[in-house]
């Protein structure tokens, strides 16, 4: 499988294209299961949020499918490598199809940039293949010359449906 | 091939003292009989009355596979109705929950019904004159479930007239509900936070059994809880233990922990793990909560309420509650090999928000379709559902810590790794399956 270069150094104020490339790269690292590099794209105080409710505003007193800090994300990544992770024997694979991310807002004064990306996500495990559709909102910022994810929000179109296992990352 | 219908002998033969036949999990005919007999003969959890606070509020759910509505009638009482139009069977409500006002109106031909189900009006009523309509079943409106009991907010219903009355059915097991509810300084719970819905390709009873299966966490959850423990070890010394670690790490407790925590067995398949302590015992105190409890109950009583750390209480047939964290899971049967698991959470009225926050964190870390702990469990259920199709051995072994004198005993506490609760669930299963057969 071909690789992509490490996250490029960006200017203090990233261009729209740099934001777009970053979001596309995140999906690619997940698809290629390069999870350690993927984790590196997250700021230390980042959250990965997958709401349970349509238009959910509160991650604390309303339940979510996922609302995970970097510790929990790193536990997931470690678990995927485990010899006794039976739900990953055989392993899942996944595939993202992104629409071109749109830059919704950019505010260099607060170092915050927001992109919006509609996507289809397929997760498979042996004979099972499941398709999900979602909108992904990335809240990004520049740290030490590199873009980092501060918050990634995945709004599934059917967030309130009864799902089977979702084992990888959207 | 019909093997089990009307054949209570054949049903009874599926459950031995120390083993059950695989047909209880894989056979579609047995599943249909559960829906026809076992669920209607039992008191089944329908919903919480905080889901329908105002007159006209309704919430749609199932008893077994039968669609029903929980509804707040105009007079303030809570009713359970079969959710089908007496005309042609159309489901009456459009949304899962909502407010219907003073009456239900069927969207197909506009028959309308009061919120206790009775027929209110039919368009072009003249067309039924001299047809004997008054004697028809349709004229009685939406069929009510006759036996309904609201226990401190938790609503149960029994479809059949036979069977046991509510107190006899639950007996002392209601103390687990009491403890969960008493944890609110005003003794009231409210459904809060949203429901997690998780589809399982396995028989519903595998989930029920698993709630008292204390020999699996340190094995099946080694991948998730074990990784939490390992990753946490690498944290710099002195780092405050995050709530998430407090929640998941205890799943890795050793066998002795679970042996010593104890299991209690009550009549009719009910029982609970965590007689002496549980994986919920060592959570950090929530600021301000104990003070509120002491003010409400006095110190001794507050300590007694909070000192109870029951782990999972199973209410036969298909719910489990966790009193210390106000969580209720319902295992909704769809087919012999398909179950919808709903995990509900409750707010302790007048208690600090942080308790609900922790409950919701527990729910999404353990019970969500995105939960790594959930993945561990579902993998095992689905493998069992598959493996049971082997003819090499048609029996599931439930022999752990069996003693020949256990049938008929109730309210006993035993070693926390005993499979007695599972044997007990199947004794109840046989009883409510064959009742009236
Ligand atoms: S089916 Fe309900 S009114 Fe006809
Ligand atoms: Fe488990």
């Amino acid at each position: 499988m071909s690789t992509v270069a490490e996250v490029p150094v960006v200017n203090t104020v990233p261009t729209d294209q740099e934001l777009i490339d970053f979001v596309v790269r995140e999906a690619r690292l997940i698809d290629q299961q390069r999870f350690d590099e993927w984790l590196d794209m997250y700021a230390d105080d980042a959250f990965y949020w997958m709401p349970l409710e349509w238009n959910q505003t509160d991650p604390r007193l309303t339940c979510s499918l996922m609302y995970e800090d970097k510790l929990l994300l790193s536990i997931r990544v470690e678990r995927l490598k485990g010899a006794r992770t039976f739900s990953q024997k055989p392993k899942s694979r996944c595939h993202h199809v992104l629409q071109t991310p749109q830059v919704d807002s950019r505010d260099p004064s607060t170092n915050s940039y927001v992109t919006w990306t509609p996507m289809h996500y397929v997760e498979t495990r042996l004979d099972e293949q499941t398709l999900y559709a979602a909108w992904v909102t990335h809240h990004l910022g520049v740290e030490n010359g590199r873009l980092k994810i501060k918050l990634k929000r995945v709004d599934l179109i059917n967030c309130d449906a009864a799902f089977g296992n979702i084992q990888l990352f959207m | 091939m019909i093997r089990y219908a009307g054949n209570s002998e054949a049903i009874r033969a599926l459950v031995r003292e120390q083993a059950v036949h695989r047909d209880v999990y894989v056979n579609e005919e047995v599943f249909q009989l559960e829906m026809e007999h076992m669920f209607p003969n039992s008191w089944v959890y329908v919903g919480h009355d905080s889901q329908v606070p105002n007159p006209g509020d309704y919430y749609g759910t199932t008893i077994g596979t039968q669609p029903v509505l929980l509804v707040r009638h105009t007079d303030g009482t809570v009713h359970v109705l079969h959710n089908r139009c007496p005309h042609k069977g159309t489901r009456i409500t459009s949304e899962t929950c909502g407010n219907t006002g003073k009456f239900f109106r069927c969207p197909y031909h506009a028959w309308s019904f009061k919120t206790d189900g009775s027929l209110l009006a039919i368009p072009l009523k003249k067309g039924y004159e001299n047809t004997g309509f008054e004697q028809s079943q349709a004229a009685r409106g939406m069929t009510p479930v006759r036996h309904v009991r609201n226990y401190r907010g938790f609503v149960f219903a029994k479809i059949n007239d036979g069977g046991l009355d509510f107190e006899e059915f639950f007996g002392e097991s209601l103390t687990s509900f009491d403890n969960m509810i008493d944890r609110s300084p005003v003794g009231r719970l409210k459904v809060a936070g949203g429901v997690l819905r998780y589809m399982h390709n396995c028989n519903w009873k595998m989930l029920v059994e698993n709630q008292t299966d204390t020999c699996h966490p340190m094995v099946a959850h080694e991948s998730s809880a074990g990784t939490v423990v390992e990753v946490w070890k690498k944290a710099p010394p002195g780092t405050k233990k995050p709530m998430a670690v407090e929640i998941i790490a205890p799943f890795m407790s050793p066998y002795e922990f679970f042996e010593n925590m104890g299991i209690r067995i009550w009549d009719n398949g009910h029982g609970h793990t965590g007689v002496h302590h549980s994986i919920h015992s060592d959570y950090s105190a929530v600021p301000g909560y104990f003070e509120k409890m002491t003010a409400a109950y006095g110190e001794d009583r507050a300590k007694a309420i909070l000192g109870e750390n029951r782990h999972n209480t199973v209410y036969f047939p298909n719910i489990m509650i966790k009193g210390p964290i106000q969580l209720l899971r319902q295992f909704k049967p769809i087919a012999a090999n398909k179950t919808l698991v709903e995990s509900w959470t409750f707010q302790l009225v007048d208690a600090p928000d942080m308790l609900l926050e922790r409950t919701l964190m527990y729910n999404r870390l353990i019970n969500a379709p995105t939960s790594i702990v959930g993945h561990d469990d579902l993998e095992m259920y689905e493998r069992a559902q598959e493996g049971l199709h082997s003819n090499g051995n048609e029996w599931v072994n439930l022999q752990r810590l069996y003693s020949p004198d256990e049938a008929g005993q109730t309210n006993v506490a035993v070693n926390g790794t005993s499979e007695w609760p599972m044997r007990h669930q199947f004794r109840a299963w046989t009883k409510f399956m064959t009742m009236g057969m």
Side-chain angles (χ1 to χ4, degrees), chain B residues 133-147:
Chain B
F133 180 72
E134 294 72 20
Q135 276 74 57
S136 72
Q137 189 166 358
R140 279 177 268 157
M142 293 169 69
T143 310
V145 177
R146 283 233 295 276
H147 309 278

Side-chain angles (χ1 to χ4, degrees), chain A residues 52 60-65 67 75-76 78-79 84-87 125 160-167, chain B residues 193 195 197-199 222-223 227-228 231 242 340 353 357 360 364 369-370 372 375-376 378-380 383:
Chain A
L52 178 65
R60 203 175 71 92
L61 298 181
T62 302
C63 198
S64 301
L65 288 161
Y67 185 63
I75 285 165
R76 282 182 188 267
E78 280 308 304
R79 175 179 177 273
R84 289 183 175 161
T85 303
F86 301 110
S87 78
R125 194 175 164 229
D160 45 8
F163 297 109
N165 281 350
I166 300 173
Q167 298 208 57
Chain B
V195 55
R197 304 169 68 236
Y198 191 177
M199 200 58 85
E222 185 185 338
S223 92
T227 306
V228 170
V231 170
L340 173 62
D353 278 350
E357 185 181 350
L360 295 179
R364 75 172 177 269
T370 36
I372 52 179
H375 298 159
D376 294 337
L378 180 51
E379 177 69 13
M380 296 308 133
R383 286 197 195 189

Side-chain angles (χ1 to χ4, degrees), chain B residues 106-119:
Chain B
C106 178
Y108 202 174
H109 314 96
W111 290 24
S112 58
F113 314 93
K114 292 185 193 158
T115 44
D116 62 359
S118 56
L119 186 63

